[in-house]
Amino acid sequence: MVTLVSFRNKAVEISGHLHLPDKFSEDETYPALVGIHPAGGVKEQTIGLYAKRLAEHGYVVVVYDSSYQGESGGEPRLLEDPSTRVEDARCAADFLTTLPFVDPDRMGVYGICAGGGYAISVAQTEHRFKAVATVSAAPMGESSRAFMGHQVPASEHVATLEMVAKQRTAEARGGERLYAPFVPEKLEDIDENTPDMLREGYDYYRTPRGAHPNSKGRFLLTSMDRMLAFSVFDRIPDFLTQPMLLIAGSKADTKLWSDQAYELSQGPKELFVVEGATHIAMYDTPEYVDQAITEMVKFFAIL
């Protein structure tokens, strides 16, 4: 059962879906999860698929469009602001605690792709989340500074920041907003040098396989200053004391981020590798999703 819900992050109204167990009763209390979608995604895509499956195992799950994206409010549109994304998840936790059938002491968080990075980030300082799980985690700051794990010279980042500065000035003076794609926008943008995640990202986000009209697959160029300044991993050793489950495909070009988060964590942790799976295959390929859900259900049983 899915119901449309909303809550607020300051002045921004957040549009969400609340997934309820099949035999839901308002007279009972349930463990609850917050699900955080990938960058460029929306609640109806992979994060919603996982929410539906987790609800079938007795969890109340809320997923939502992040601020500035999808059906949620906020201007400018398609801003990818990592700090706001983290606060969205806190506000989702606030929302869950207002529901009489949710046990506020039994809440967890999960995320997919960039949502996985944000899940790790919010769990470090939001300890109402008693457990955190990720699928194909990609920390927004670290992955922006090191493309597919390959460090980018600081001089290139400074050049990007200078470009963003000029663009902000242009927009402040009434100029046109510029956007950058999270995944290739056209098939002809793909060649033999395109990383697997981007190649498969096109197939998921730009074709009927996973396309949704509210998922634009691009972000406001002036988001780059926020993305480059953001870090997920810095405080994992100190602040992330909750149990953490990291799920990644053995063939995922982003698996390195799950490996790194695992090594940094000093708390209870598990790295589950799905043999044969790539980054995007974990979004919706039944055999891989089945494995992920099985592990997540076992993991979140601690709630």
Side-chain angles (χ1 to χ4, degrees):
M1 182 183 351
V2 183
T3 61
L4 184 64
V5 297
S6 66
F7 53 91
R8 302 191 78 81
N9 178 351
K10 302 181 180 67
V12 174
E13 184 168 356
I14 304 297
S15 175
H17 284 165
L18 189 67
H19 292 254
L20 300 173
D22 291 339
K23 297 181 180 180
F24 171 76
S25 170
E26 290 191 0
D27 297 327
E28 298 184 26
T29 56
Y30 299 86
L33 302 172
V34 170
I36 308 175
H37 65 69
V42 290
K43 61 187 180 298
E44 291 85 0
Q45 294 173 315
T46 180
I47 200 69
L49 170 63
Y50 275 76
K52 178 180 181 296
R53 295 289 305 275
L54 289 165
E56 291 170 355
H57 289 273
Y59 296 92
V60 170
V61 189
V62 65
V63 294
Y64 55 88
D65 295 336
S66 65
S67 294
Y68 314 112
Q69 301 173 33
E71 293 181 316
S72 292
E75 293 288 342
R77 302 305 296 167
L78 301 185
L79 178 68
E80 182 71 21
D81 183 348
S83 295
T84 299
R85 288 272 249 143
V86 169
E87 185 63 18
D88 285 342
R90 291 185 193 279
C91 294
D94 291 341
F95 166 73
L96 287 175
T97 65
T98 69
L99 303 177
F101 47 82
V102 165
D103 184 341
D105 294 321
R106 300 170 68 199
M107 294 199 303
V109 62
Y110 75 97
I112 300 173
C113 190
Y118 292 132
I120 293 172
S121 181
V122 71
Q124 291 173 52
T125 54
E126 179 51 86
H127 280 242
R128 290 179 296 181
F129 292 133
K130 305 303 184 184
V132 55
T134 70
V135 177
S136 297
M140 183 56 72
E142 286 80 358
S143 60
S144 295
R145 293 187 295 272
F147 183 71
M148 299 300 175
H150 301 290
Q151 200 65 39
V152 177
S155 58
E156 292 188 23
H157 294 318
V158 170
T160 297
L161 292 169
E162 290 173 347
M163 176 184 63
V164 168
K166 292 178 181 178
Q167 179 60 26
R168 285 187 67 118
T169 296
E171 291 179 17
R173 293 173 173 174
E176 181 181 1
R177 287 177 175 151
L178 297 181
Y179 300 86
F182 278 121
V183 296
E185 296 193 335
K186 301 185 293 294
L187 188 59
E188 51 265 37
D189 294 333
I190 299 172
D191 59 29
E192 65 276 7
N193 298 315
T194 303
D196 287 344
M197 186 183 78
L198 299 182
R199 182 190 313 276
E200 295 178 352
Y202 170 86
D203 186 58
Y204 182 81
Y205 285 105
R206 308 294 189 190
T207 75
R209 172 184 170 187
H212 189 279
N214 292 336
S215 173
K216 306 302 181 184
R218 60 181 184 272
F219 64 97
L220 195 65
L221 186 63
T222 52
S223 306
M224 283 302 302
D225 53 1
R226 299 163 178 84
M227 291 159 62
L228 286 171
F230 185 72
S231 291
V232 170
F233 287 166
D234 288 356
R235 297 297 176 189
I236 288 179
D238 300 323
F239 293 166
L240 188 61
T241 58
Q242 306 98 309
M244 176 172 62
L245 170 65
L246 301 150
I247 300 174
S250 64
K251 294 184 177 180
D253 38 20
T254 54
K255 179 177 175 291
L256 65 105
W257 299 120
S258 294
D259 293 336
Q260 186 174 343
Y262 181 85
E263 291 301 320
L264 286 169
S265 173
Q266 302 300 307
K269 58 188 177 181
E270 179 183 353
L271 175 62
F272 182 78
V273 179
V274 181
E275 290 300 324
T278 59
H279 178 98
I280 297 291
M282 292 303 306
Y283 282 28
D284 64 346
T285 303
E287 63 180 293
Y288 301 143
V289 174
D290 286 348
Q291 292 183 55
I293 292 295
T294 297
E295 293 303 311
M296 292 171 78
V297 169
K298 288 193 296 185
F299 173 71
F300 282 127
I302 63 177
L303 295 177

